Amino acid sequence: MRRRFEPWFGGGLLVLTAGFLAVFGHDAFSDPITAALLSGLAAAATLSIIGGTVDSIPVGSRRLSWNVFLGIADIILALVLVLSSVHTLQTGGIDALLFATAATVGAGSLVWMGLQTARGSRYVDLEAEPSRARLVAITALAIGSMVVGSLLVTVI
């Protein structure tokens, strides 16, 4: 199921990156952290599109399966997230600290998921059609996360 949505996700990341560049132009690359963030997003988008559209690609004497590309894309996104949180910490304030903490925790889980996906592990959903129980659990987790996030935003 995940593989079906990855080209759309990668395309969305490319559109966001291109939109940022359209607004800020080549001045966006004057800041090395912003340049690294944009490059990471473009790399993750490209890998997501590749992983979602091909079964495998020969690299030297080996063939890399589609899940390797999706796993690496997740890891790159996690690195972009951590780099973004470090960049935000420079502004100071409690909101920057909260964002950096949440981004680091989220990046940790994203790295774990990327490693498991690249390995083709049983811990991630690489099936064409996931079970109904898994879909219900994912939906409940997403709704719970949104509720907690909304409560935190309204309280703080």
Side-chain angles (χ1 to χ4, degrees):
M1 180 176 136
R2 176 173 177 213
R3 186 173 179 205
R4 211 175 347 167
F5 297 113
E6 286 298 321
W8 296 102
F9 177 71
L13 280 179
L14 283 179
V15 166
L16 288 174
T17 305
F20 185 85
L21 289 174
V23 170
F24 295 103
H26 69 281
D27 292 336
F29 290 108
S30 62
D31 179 30
I33 293 180
T34 305
L37 291 172
L38 292 173
S39 300
L41 286 176
T46 304
L47 289 170
S48 292
I49 292 170
I50 291 170
T53 55
V54 299
D55 287 329
S56 64
I57 293 181
V59 177
S61 62
R62 299 185 66 173
R63 291 191 72 79
L64 294 179
S65 175
W66 62 270
N67 58 307
V68 173
F69 295 103
L70 296 184
I72 294 171
D74 286 345
I75 293 168
I76 290 173
L77 279 176
L79 293 174
V80 166
L81 193 58
V82 168
L83 185 60
S84 173
S85 68
V86 169
H87 187 59
T88 304
L89 275 176
Q90 294 175 351
T91 62
I94 189 71
D95 54 344
L97 182 62
L98 285 173
F99 171 73
T101 303
T104 303
V105 170
S109 63
L110 197 54
V111 165
W112 181 86
M113 190 174 78
L115 288 172
Q116 299 303 317
T117 300
R119 289 182 39 215
S121 173
R122 64 182 177 88
Y123 295 113
V124 292
D125 184 20
L126 299 179
E127 303 159 0
E129 293 294 326
S131 67
R132 186 170 308 279
R134 185 171 284 197
L135 286 175
V136 170
I138 290 170
T139 303
L141 182 62
I143 291 171
S145 297
M146 286 184 244
V147 168
V148 169
S150 298
L151 289 174
L152 285 174
V153 167
T154 56
V155 171
I156 295 177

